[in-house]
Structure formats: structure tokens, C-alpha cells
């Protein structure tokens, strides 16, 4: 007797997406994923010509504490994909509740997203933005192709954080973290 679970054959997701034969409606799937609240980040890097690049991203996650690793993903059709693929370093900035305008600025295409933004060059010259709730300066370790996105893995080489309130995103809109009143009363 075999106790292994029996699963139907699952097609290779890369081929499924490439052939456009998925039974899942992409727009409805995106709506379902939107029920999962995330933090809001801006990922930055510098191109070979020295120009800074940045994008708003909510597909950020920790991977490992030892060694310290994080990941994030970028759509394969992004105009800045080549910059991030070729950069030796990138920086992840967790935005604060008051930084919604900054998130919107970096979410849109523009020639100079850094105009009027306070930043300094960090490790590998990746821009480090001022006043984020946290930032992680990362060496690019690897990238993986997953459907219509590239997943970037970074080794954290430096980080900073403060006690500011993070900006959150769910169901297509920004929000804030509310502390449960019962939890406030706990010792």
C-alpha cells in the first residue's frame, strides 16, 4: 500500500502562462490576491551609466535570518528590468504611513522619479531614500524566473529602521495599521 498523496498532473506553470491556457482569470485572481494586505516598498538601484532607478513594489518578503536574505519581484515587461538585473546592489525601502505620495510617484513612469526626493548613494550606489520606516541595502545574489515576473534574491549587507507607522496596501488602496484595543490592555 502506498501512503503518498495522489495529485493530478500539474502542468508546468511557465508553459501554462506562456500558452495562455490557464483556467484562472488573471484579473479575478489579482482581485483575490488583493485581499492579502502588504507593506509598500520602493526598490532602488543605479544603472551602469549612474542614473538612479526606483519602483514601487509590494511583492517584498523576508527569506532567511541567517544568512539575512530578502526577495522581491518585478514584471518581465517593466522598463527598468534590465537595470535591476544588471545592478550589483539594490535597496528596499519600507514606506511610512505619510509617504503615499512618494509611493504613487515611484509607481508611475517618468523620466526623473528622483526629482525633489531626498536620497544618498548607498552600497553599490543604490539610492537610499530618506525617512522610510526601514531600509535594507542588498547585494544581488540571484534571480529566478516565475511566470510573468523575475524574483530577485538579495543578501542584506546593511539596514536601518525606526518606529514610524508603516504604509499598508490591500484591495487596491492604501491603509494604516490599527492596534487592537484588547491588545493594548495586555501587560
Amino acid at each position: 500500500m502506498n501512503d503518498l498523496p495522489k495529485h493530478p498532473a500539474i502542468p508546468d506553470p511557465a508553459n501554462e502562462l506562456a500558452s495562455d491556457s490557464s483556467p484562472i482569470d488573471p484579473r479575478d485572481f489579482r482581485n483575490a490576491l488583493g485581499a492579502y494586505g502588504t507593506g509598500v516598498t520602493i526598490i532602488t538601484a543605479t544603472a551602469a551609466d549612474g542614473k538612479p532607478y526606483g519602483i514601487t513594489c509590494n511583492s517584498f518578503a523576508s527569506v532567511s535570518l541567517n544568512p539575512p536574505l530578502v526577495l522581491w519581484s518585478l514584471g518581465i515587461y517593466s522598463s527598468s528590468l534590465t537595470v535591476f538585473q544588471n545592478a550589483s546592489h539594490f535597496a528596499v525601502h519600507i514606506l511610512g504611513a505619510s509617504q503615499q505620495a512618494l509611493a504613487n510617484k515611484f509607481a508611475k513612469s517618468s523620466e526623473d522619479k528622483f526629482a525633489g526626493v531626498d536620497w544618498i548613494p548607498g552600497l553599490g550606489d543604490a539610492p537610499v531614500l530618506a525617512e522610510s520606516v526601514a531600509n535594507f541595502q542588498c547585494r544581488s545574489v540571484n534571480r529566478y524566473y516565475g511566470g510573468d515576473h523575475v524574483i530577485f534574491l538579495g543578501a542584506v549587507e546593511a539596514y536601518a529602521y525606526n518606529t514610524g507607522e508603516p504604509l499598508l496596501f490591500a484591495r487596491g488602496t492604501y491603509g494604516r495599521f490599527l492596534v487592537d484595543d484588547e491588545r493594548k490592555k495586555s501587560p
Side-chain angles (χ1 to χ4, degrees):
M1 183 167 151
N2 186 345
D3 289 336
L4 295 175
K6 294 179 178 31
H7 298 286
I10 298 173
D12 176 12
N15 291 334
E16 185 176 324
L17 287 171
S19 68
D20 215 16
S21 65
S22 174
I24 305 267
D25 172 44
R27 182 68 231 169
D28 194 54
F29 183 55
R30 184 176 180 154
N31 290 341
L33 291 172
Y36 180 66
T38 67
V40 181
T41 68
I42 291 176
I43 313 291
T44 59
T46 298
D49 65 3
K51 182 178 178 184
Y53 281 79
I55 57 150
T56 299
C57 171
N58 70 342
S59 64
F60 167 73
S62 63
V63 175
S64 171
L65 295 177
N66 188 14
L69 299 171
V70 297
L71 67 77
W72 65 281
S73 66
L74 181 61
I76 60 174
Y77 301 111
S78 170
S79 61
S80 56
L81 180 63
T82 302
V83 171
F84 287 101
Q85 286 181 314
N86 293 326
S88 66
H89 289 75
F90 60 84
V92 179
H93 308 85
I94 297 175
L95 299 186
S98 66
Q99 294 180 300
Q100 182 176 333
L102 189 63
N104 288 335
K105 180 175 186 167
F106 278 82
K108 297 175 183 162
S109 294
S110 79
E111 275 302 305
D112 189 4
K113 294 180 182 182
F114 289 84
V117 175
D118 189 12
W119 65 277
I120 60 169
L123 299 175
D125 289 329
V128 176
L129 306 178
E131 300 184 25
S132 59
V133 172
N135 69 65
F136 303 90
Q137 296 182 63
C138 304
R139 178 177 35 84
S140 295
V141 173
N142 213 333
R143 61 183 177 265
Y144 305 92
Y145 294 86
D148 60 358
H149 278 68
V150 176
I151 302 161
F152 292 87
L153 182 66
V156 178
E157 294 185 334
Y159 67 94
Y161 67 99
N162 59 52
T163 59
E165 181 183 357
L167 179 62
L168 302 179
F169 189 79
R171 295 198 166 114
T173 190
Y174 296 105
R176 300 176 78 148
F177 180 74
L178 299 176
V179 177
D180 185 339
D181 286 335
E182 290 301 311
R183 203 170 147 212
K184 284 184 198 177
K185 296 175 187 174
S186 298

